[in-house]
Amino acid sequence: MSVVGSAPGTASSALERYEPVIGIEVHCQLKTASKMFCSCSTEYDGAPPNTHVCPVCLGLPGALPVINRRAVEYVLAAGLAIEATNPVTTRWDRKNYFYPDLPKGYQISQYDLPLAAHGRLTFETSTGPFTVGIRRAHLEEDTAKLVHVTTPDGRTVSLVDFNRSGAPLMEIVTEPDIRSAEQARRYAEELQLLLRSIGVSDADMERGQMRVEANVSLRPRGVEAFGIRVEVKNMNSFRSVERAIAFEIERQAAALDAGETLTQDTRGWDDNRGVTYVMRSKEDSQDYRYFPEPDLPPLRIDPAWLAEIRARLPELPAARRARYRIELGLSAYDAGVIVNDPAMVAAFEAIQVADPTLPAKEIANLVTGDYGRATKEIVERTPSGLVGRADGPQLADLLARIVSGELSRANAKEVLAEHLVTGTAVAAIVEASGLRQISDASAVGSVVDEVLAANPAAVADYRAGKGQALGFLVGQVMKVTRGQANAGVATALIRERLGEPGSEGG
Ligand code: ADP
Ligand code: MG
Ligand code: ZN
């Protein structure tokens, strides 16, 4: 045997020897109108630098913070959605550190009394459902943003934009329960869907509204104690989360195999090169010298307030998936595809409300198929949006015509596209275009007779048992009727006229 076997192993060989242990920290920007402790607007995306600022979020001496009630409600809502518990009273703590994007020299955060603790989130993975324990969700303020630029005379300077300073930020930290890169990606995806569904964050990773950090360590299979962990930052997409963790698992396995001792570093993910790199060695949490924020009172969480927040929660993704499967009889696949896309959920629900007699499976087919594709295509082509988007009664009308056989699926697709682009009523489009499907047996029958007479060779082939002749003849009927004949009716009529293929009957 050669010695190639000692080269850095493949993912599967590393996983035979080591078990990955992964915990995820997510920071997400809350969708409030104003900042966490002042009344500055959070609508600063694209605004000139330092235009959404005041003494509080600039950290000027003597300025006093005021708690944003909505931000607290959003974290409490997120806590309820992940089945977390809430403290009776919470408080704010100062996390002290120096950095140019932190003018006060401390961040107002929460230390030992987070707004939510001991939650969990369950989601599907390629190997079945998986539940991750969530240690805590707390509220804090965002930092300013450093912008590094080169001046016209070639100097590199760092500028500070305080627009983001003091924006409300929720941090959600999992237990170290995750065991694979895929589970980590799925957790992040499901969390994004949950936060969007309850309306607390847009959670767009590319726009920095959701920032995912992964703590990754390995332990030899069969060993209980956790290994030294590395924290990976700068992952700007779900795909990056999965790739960065997979890379870290490989890197750490190779280092451990080589007898190296790992260090508890913070590493960045370089998406272009597909590698992680050392950013800094890890600070200990004591370094922050947390202490209770003296400018803010402790916050009592009134049970009645919590009950109100709970009552306002919409149906959560997991419950919706279960309802679609169990009550509506959809497949797990269809339920998953629809629930993962809020636009599809809106369309599905709107069609159901408009016509409760339509079969759920038919609604799912329309929404996940032609409707889903058409809306995506049209949105890409016309950024102004869709005029007829998720118009329940119109989509229900279209689907009723498909189910009754009045419109062929091919023609329905055209009607749908026109409706979505122009907003014209489905009935008017069908009327004007004459796309009504011909299902009437006598109307289709006369075309069938015409086609059989005109194609004696195909008829002979059919009688001789050549299966493809039937398809050809149906195709001819469709051609003569410009796609308007009901293909099923045409097929049945040809069989009726000629008998079963090869039977010499008819
Ligand atoms: P810090 O305060 O330094 O961020 P925490 O103890 O709060 O550290 O943990 C941060 C995250 O790291 C959590 O998600 C936790 O589950 C995870 N974690 C802790 N220890 C390990 C480990 N040995 N390997 C992987 N993840 C870990
Ligand atoms: Mg951390
Ligand atoms: Zn402000």
Side-chain angles (χ1 to χ4, degrees):
M1 235 189 159
S2 72
V3 290
V4 240
S6 63
T10 59
S12 58
S13 65
L15 291 179
E16 268 164 33
R17 282 166 284 132
Y18 300 106
E19 181 178 46
V21 172
I22 302 159
I24 301 286
E25 293 166 272
V26 168
H27 284 88
C28 82
Q29 284 185 326
L30 298 175
K31 225 164 111 174
T32 55
S34 59
K35 291 187 184 179
M36 188 60 232
F37 298 114
C38 61
S39 56
C40 290
S41 158
T42 52
E43 295 279 319
Y44 50 78
D45 227 19
N50 300 309
T51 51
H52 289 55
V53 292
C54 75
V56 173
C57 56
L58 283 171
L60 300 187
L64 284 176
V66 177
I67 301 168
N68 182 331
R69 181 185 171 93
R70 181 58 62 83
V72 175
E73 283 182 355
Y74 280 177
V75 178
L76 290 173
L80 292 170
I82 56 171
E83 303 169 68
T85 56
N86 313 99
V88 178
T89 305
T90 186
R91 64 149 189 265
W92 308 91
D93 296 280
R94 287 190 181 182
K95 181 178 179 178
N96 299 282
Y97 66 96
F98 170 80
Y99 206 66
D101 64 12
L102 189 72
K104 296 194 296 289
Y106 61 85
Q107 177 191 35
I108 303 180
S109 182
Q110 298 193 280
Y111 186 52
D112 52 355
L113 288 171
L115 274 166
H118 311 299
R120 65 197 143 135
L121 189 61
T122 301
F123 45 88
E124 283 298 323
T125 72
S126 62
T127 51
F130 189 76
T131 300
V132 172
I134 296 178
R135 187 175 284 177
R136 56 187 283 150
H138 73 249
L139 189 49
E140 58 189 33
E141 53 179 340
D142 211 341
T143 58
K145 204 166 147 182
L146 294 184
V147 185
H148 309 285
V149 292
T150 308
T151 60
D153 57 345
R155 286 172 306 133
T156 304
V157 297
S158 294
L159 305 171
V160 193
D161 176 4
F162 286 96
N163 283 349
R164 194 179 73 180
S165 176
L169 207 56
M170 171 167 59
E171 179 173 348
I172 303 173
V173 183
T174 74
E175 295 295 342
D177 289 349
I178 297 167
R179 295 288 174 267
S180 75
E182 188 216 345
Q183 286 170 355
R185 169 180 56 80
R186 286 292 303 118
Y187 165 74
E189 288 172 343
E190 185 72 10
L191 185 65
Q192 180 193 57
L193 180 65
L194 188 73
L195 298 175
R196 286 179 172 177
S197 314
I198 62 175
V200 305
S201 176
D202 288 330
D204 188 328
M205 282 187 77
E206 271 102 52
R207 294 173 65 193
Q209 295 163 334
M210 174 166 164
R211 304 165 215 156
V212 178
E213 287 154 26
N215 294 267
V216 183
S217 68
L218 296 185
R219 60 182 173 188
R221 294 263 167 206
V223 169
E224 183 109 20
F226 289 162
I228 304 274
R229 77 177 194 263
V230 154
E231 185 169 332
V232 188
K233 292 178 182 289
N234 294 349
M235 300 167 291
N236 294 322
S237 66
F238 294 117
R239 189 166 169 266
S240 305
V241 170
E242 187 163 358
R243 286 177 72 211
I245 294 172
F247 174 87
E248 240 341 271
I249 291 170
E250 282 302 303
R251 187 190 70 80
Q252 292 183 20
L256 292 173
D257 280 346
E260 289 168 31
T261 312
L262 294 168
T263 50
Q264 192 178 327
D265 298 329
T266 297
R267 297 176 76 93
W269 168 246
D270 183 329
D271 205 45
N272 293 322
R273 292 194 298 137
V275 298
T276 62
Y277 57 90
V278 181
M279 290 172 83
R280 58 176 177 269
S281 61
K282 179 77 186 165
E283 322 84 10
D284 286 329
S285 68
Q286 303 87 279
D287 285 353
Y288 293 123
R289 292 285 310 276
Y290 280 98
F291 65 83
E293 166 61 56
D295 287 341
L296 288 169
L299 189 70
R300 218 183 80 77
I301 299 163
D302 179 10
W305 185 30
L306 202 58
E308 258 171 57
I309 296 168
R310 188 191 290 279
R312 281 202 304 264
L313 278 183
E315 185 175 38
L316 302 178
R320 194 186 293 277
R321 281 188 205 104
R323 179 168 65 84
Y324 281 6
R325 274 194 300 109
I326 296 160
E327 281 177 35
L328 304 181
L330 295 187
S331 67
Y333 178 80
D334 279 350
V337 169
I338 296 171
V339 173
N340 285 355
D341 184 337
M344 284 193 196
V345 169
F348 186 92
E349 300 279 323
I351 296 171
Q352 257 216 326
V353 168
D355 185 350
T357 67
L358 288 168
K361 176 67 188 161
E362 290 285 352
I363 306 179
N365 285 348
L366 179 71
V367 166
T368 60
D370 290 339
Y371 176 79
R373 275 191 293 275
T375 49
K376 281 194 185 82
E377 257 170 44
I378 294 165
V379 168
E380 272 162 29
R381 272 190 288 134
T382 49
S384 58
L386 299 167
V387 180
R389 175 168 227 173
D391 181 332
Q394 289 301 315
L395 294 174
D397 182 19
L398 180 79
L399 189 54
R401 289 167 195 261
I402 299 173
V403 172
S404 74
E406 186 197 323
L407 275 181
S408 71
R409 289 187 192 265
N411 286 339
K413 195 171 156 180
E414 284 172 33
V415 174
L416 174 66
E418 187 174 340
H419 165 68
L420 290 175
V421 173
T422 64
T424 309
V426 165
I429 299 169
V430 172
E431 207 54 56
S433 60
L435 284 175
R436 192 166 274 137
Q437 179 167 258
I438 308 164
S439 296
D440 175 53
S442 71
V444 180
S446 59
V447 180
V448 165
D449 290 338
E450 203 181 296
V451 164
L452 295 183
N455 294 280
V459 170
D461 283 349
Y462 179 90
R463 292 208 160 111
K466 290 189 184 157
Q468 67 275 33
L470 177 62
F472 172 79
L473 290 168
V474 173
Q476 291 304 302
V477 172
M478 299 310 284
K479 199 169 155 193
V480 170
T481 59
R482 283 175 294 116
Q484 281 169 251
N486 180 318
V489 172
T491 307
L493 288 173
I494 293 170
R495 284 218 161 96
E496 194 185 296
R497 302 275 201 277
L498 302 182
E500 287 307 307
S503 69
E504 298 292 331

